[in-house]
Amino acid sequence: MGTDSALNSTKPTQRPTQEEDSHNSSTALLSFDNDCSDPSNPSQKRTTTIIFISLLLITCIALSAASAFAFLFFSTTSSSSSSWPAPAQTSSPIETTSRALIKFNHPVVILISSDGFRFGYQFKTPTPNIHRLIAKGTEAVTGLIPVFPTLTFPNHYSIVTGLYPAYHGIINNRFVDPITGEVFTTRSHEPKWWLGEPLWETVANHGLRAAAYFWPGSEVHKGSWNCPEGFCMFYNESVPFEERVDKILSYFDLPSAEIPVFMALYFEDPDHQGHQVGPDDPEITEAVSGIDKMIGRLINGLEKRGVFEDVHIIMVGDHGMVGTCDKKLIFLDDLAHWVKIPAEWVQYYTPALSIRPPPGVSPSSVVGKINEGLQSGKVQNGKHLKVYLKEELPSRLHYSASDRIPPIIGLVEEGFKVEEQRSKHQECGGAHGYDNAFFSMRTIFIGHGPQFARGRKVPSFENVQIYNLVTSILNIKGAPNNGSLSFPGFVLLPTPK
């Protein structure tokens, strides 16, 4: 578990260059001198002078026009790029060390998750508060890469443990323990399901205070973390977002020694809307605007308390979203000619098809027959699904080293879904859970605070790196994890010695 993971226009009309203008002017003057060879003629002298001055003026005008055009072109390019990710860079002047704390004598981190915030949503509508964090902080220029499967619970727990799902145990939003037969759901709070060490437990292990508002897994009593009253809330989706933000802000009204050094805050949007209408509906725009207002509410509250510049704000999502519709369906019943797959074999249908045959049925035989049927051309959309024995999945998915993962996993192409059988129910909406190599599954990473360089862009990376990032900011020793211990050095400013 302690291994390092890899870090992961219209062309304008061309104008003559300065050299071309000078060459053209010299050629014209040379030609003129050859034609006008009588220097004793005053009329010719006046004509020569006038033409020379005229050519000089034309040359100056051409050069001025070229300069003006260049200025306008590059100014336009610069201003329009404010709505798109910039190349990897740090704003000038380059910061070489982290900024000193003003009000606190220790770092503080607020980790915010906006569920289903697909990378690019921040450009769908004006998001002045999110872009304030981007402009004055550090951003993953092409988004944050989730772990596979790109589902809510596996990814939220990977973010706070630094572990892939095969190692932290939450391998899906719903799964069955192969030994006990017990079923895990999003309401399962027993510690036996939740492996690894989440950030709130790490913080508590160091005698420091943490707080969590609805982050998946935070309700679980694990080790030194007992979900303390007032600093840990059991999930209730009806609690307004404003109330959640205000609760986080209230911690900054405590005496300095009692302020949690780590706080986790969760919002359901825009995932809720994305499932219903897909990623391109106006409802998504409204939801993103609402999240931006919550970020603004948090920033304003911190500024009123005079601590905004001291606080490290890390804003992430857990996964992206892609549109789905009924014409992109694959039915397991269509495979009956090759192999019958009873519903009780299937633990999860889509997008990460998960099948556990009963004892006595060879998983490899089932995989072979399924793929034969899918490749036959006789199964609707069959070419868009490929089924694997879990140990034969692409290694980049890190999705085999757990008995909880069923022996057969199907990877469906982007936007397609798997169902047991045809029905009259028709719907179009959105989904996630697909291969994390799909760009549509990417989400956001924004870091703002004393240890984040202003205006810096960093390459995309997997969310298992965030655990070490937070422990590095807090200057505490973390638990073994799948992130790289050297990763924080690529993202954070070093602290002055």
Side-chain angles (χ1 to χ4, degrees), residues 35-287:
D35 290 340
C36 305
S37 56
D38 185 1
S40 63
N41 189 332
S43 175
Q44 286 183 348
K45 287 184 177 180
R46 286 194 299 272
T47 302
T48 300
T49 302
I50 292 171
I51 293 175
F52 176 79
I53 294 173
S54 299
L55 288 172
L56 186 62
L57 288 172
I58 291 171
T59 301
C60 291
I61 292 170
L63 289 172
S64 298
S67 300
F69 175 81
F71 174 78
L72 289 172
F73 177 76
F74 288 111
S75 295
T76 303
T77 303
S78 174
S79 61
S80 64
S81 67
S82 63
S83 59
W84 294 99
Q89 62 184 24
T90 303
S91 59
S92 183
I94 296 175
E95 297 168 293
T96 56
T97 60
S98 62
R99 301 179 291 280
L101 297 175
I102 302 170
K103 292 292 185 72
F104 298 145
N105 55 14
H106 57 77
V108 174
V109 175
I110 303 177
L111 178 63
I112 304 169
S113 170
S114 179
D115 199 325
F117 199 115
R118 173 174 167 169
F119 180 79
Y121 278 0
Q122 67 269 38
F123 308 120
K124 290 176 72 70
T125 186
T127 51
N129 300 298
I130 292 174
H131 275 85
R132 179 179 177 184
L133 297 181
I134 292 173
K136 299 296 184 181
T138 297
E139 178 192 29
V141 69
T142 49
L144 181 68
I145 303 170
V147 296
F148 177 83
T150 51
L151 298 168
T152 296
F153 270 55
N155 273 276
H156 274 93
Y157 207 52
S158 284
I159 290 169
V160 295
T161 61
L163 297 170
Y164 292 111
Y167 300 105
H168 66 51
I170 309 303
I171 57 102
N172 207 310
N173 287 341
R174 183 187 183 280
F175 58 91
V176 179
D177 186 300
I179 298 174
T180 66
E182 294 177 274
V183 179
F184 172 88
T185 73
T186 56
R187 297 190 179 189
S188 299
H189 298 142
E190 299 83 7
K192 64 182 179 181
W193 297 109
W194 306 81
L195 311 179
E197 184 178 291
L199 280 165
W200 43 79
E201 183 180 351
T202 300
V203 169
N205 286 344
H206 286 79
L208 302 170
R209 174 171 281 179
Y213 211 125
F214 294 168
W215 197 283
S218 61
E219 306 100 321
V220 180
H221 290 212
K222 258 177 91 330
S224 54
W225 173 259
N226 63 353
C227 191
E229 184 177 356
F231 295 89
C232 173
M233 289 66 177
F234 275 72
Y235 183 65
N236 180 356
E237 65 179 346
S238 66
V239 176
F241 290 175
E242 291 84 355
E243 185 174 326
R244 304 180 197 188
V245 172
D246 291 347
K247 182 64 175 179
I248 294 295
L249 289 172
S250 72
Y251 297 140
F252 292 93
D253 297 327
L254 297 172
S256 180
E258 298 178 23
I259 297 174
V261 300
F262 173 73
M263 311 173 203
L265 175 61
Y266 171 80
F267 300 119
E268 293 88 352
D269 292 355
D271 182 74
H272 174 71
Q273 295 81 1
H275 280 291
Q276 295 179 337
V277 298
D280 301 315
D281 192 90
E283 282 190 38
I284 296 296
T285 304
E286 294 177 14

Side-chain angles (χ1 to χ4, degrees), residues 311-357:
V311 176
H312 296 84
I313 297 175
I314 299 176
M315 183 178 180
V316 299
D318 53 348
H319 53 70
M321 185 70 66
V322 69
T324 59
C325 216
D326 288 298
K327 65 181 180 180
K328 292 186 173 184
L329 294 177
I330 302 162
F331 302 99
L332 296 183
D333 272 2
D334 289 353
L335 293 164
H337 177 73
W338 293 269
V339 59
K340 177 65 177 176
I341 305 173
E344 56 266 27
W345 290 15
V346 183
Q347 292 195 4
Y348 205 81
Y349 280 95
T350 195
L353 177 64
S354 304
I355 300 173
R356 187 182 295 278

Side-chain angles (χ1 to χ4, degrees), residues 5 15 83 138 175 179 205 210 298 347 361 377 388 398 412 426 474 481:
S5 58
R15 294 179 181 270
S83 59
T138 297
F175 58 91
I179 298 174
N205 286 344
L298 178 67
Q347 292 195 4
V361 178
Y388 298 82
H398 305 280
V412 67
Q426 302 287 307
L474 297 178
N481 62 84

